[in-house]
Amino acid sequence: MKTANHAVFNHKDLLGIEELSAEDILMVLDNAVGSKDVVTRTIKKVPILRGKTVVNLFFENSTRTRTSFEIAARRLSADVINFDVATSSVNKGEALLDTVETIEALGADYIVMRHSSSGSPHFLARNVKASVINAGDGQHEHPTQALLDAFTIRERLGRIEGLEIALVGDILHSRVARSNILLLNKLGANITLVGPPSLVPEEFSQLGVRIVHDLKAGIRGADVIYLLRIQLERQRKNLFPSLEEYRAVYGLNKERLGYAREGALVMHPGPVNQGVEITREVMEMPQSTILNQVTNGVAVRMAVFYLLQGARDHVHHDHS
Ligand code: CP
């Protein structure tokens, strides 16, 4: 699981793609290749986090991310606690910092947090010694999702630089889109955002992307079509007439897929609104990576723990 070059991953926390350099990102992706070897062999455990405690602290629902972090930490021999927010003193009004300081006092080395407030992991990271990993903060960032997406693209297509990548759908509410835009820009891909003006406002062009409101024009010649989930739970007003209307104009079906490059990857972070963003038929095509993305999430999160632990050991060594 060593990195090929001698660059150092010099971060206490993983808060967002914004804080990472292209070299940092490549270190995670290169390291995840080794992690994937570990998870596919007969004995799937290595002792890198033996004696360390990882606490999953999810204030919003999750299937993939929480489970994936748990499996990744266990593969590295960590003790894992899934903190149950629903039955905790958070419901008696305990402040977020008090909750996390209590978890740290109980011996947590890593806190993996999902929260509805943008910036909450950054606030915690400044106030605790444990390493904080952002598992999604509001509409801001979801860095490990973007890292596992990049790993999947590189695994399938061999590179990221110079690829034509169309992100389609609810960009406005999507932390996944934001982290992907930041990452793909840093690694030199050409990004097109596709969707109705209400979900893909013109201001996004400041992020160094092309904006196209017509699906066929937006995905023409694309190497990768990345579909974002319509986030009904985050919409404060009706930004399009109905899911049926969205499906009719922006849903990806086999006929529309023909506008992209032949064999173009079809990606989605999940959970999918099936029949809205994508048809079942397209989900089951060989170029669909939806389940590969989930599998690769474990290897990428192992790589993140490995690199953060290296940085923690480095700091500890310097101070001893
Ligand atoms: N992609 C993603 O974050 O999925 P979950 O909400 O299931 O974790």
Side-chain angles (χ1 to χ4, degrees), residues 58 61-66 114 135 142 145 175-176 269-271:
F58 279 62
N61 294 342
S62 170
T63 302
R64 291 149 202 80
T65 311
R66 197 193 62 73
R114 173 171 287 188
H142 190 350
Q145 178 69 48
R175 55 196 177 206
V176 173

Side-chain angles (χ1 to χ4, degrees), residues 212-229:
V212 177
H213 299 302
D214 176 70
L215 180 73
K216 289 177 186 169
I219 65 174
R220 189 167 285 126
D223 298 296
V224 177
I225 304 173
Y226 193 113
L227 304 166
L228 277 316
R229 186 172 69 87

Side-chain angles (χ1 to χ4, degrees), residues 267-281:
M267 306 183 72
H268 193 301
V272 174
N273 293 310
Q274 212 183 102
V276 178
E277 296 108 22
I278 183 171
T279 60
R280 185 83 220 166
E281 185 182 26

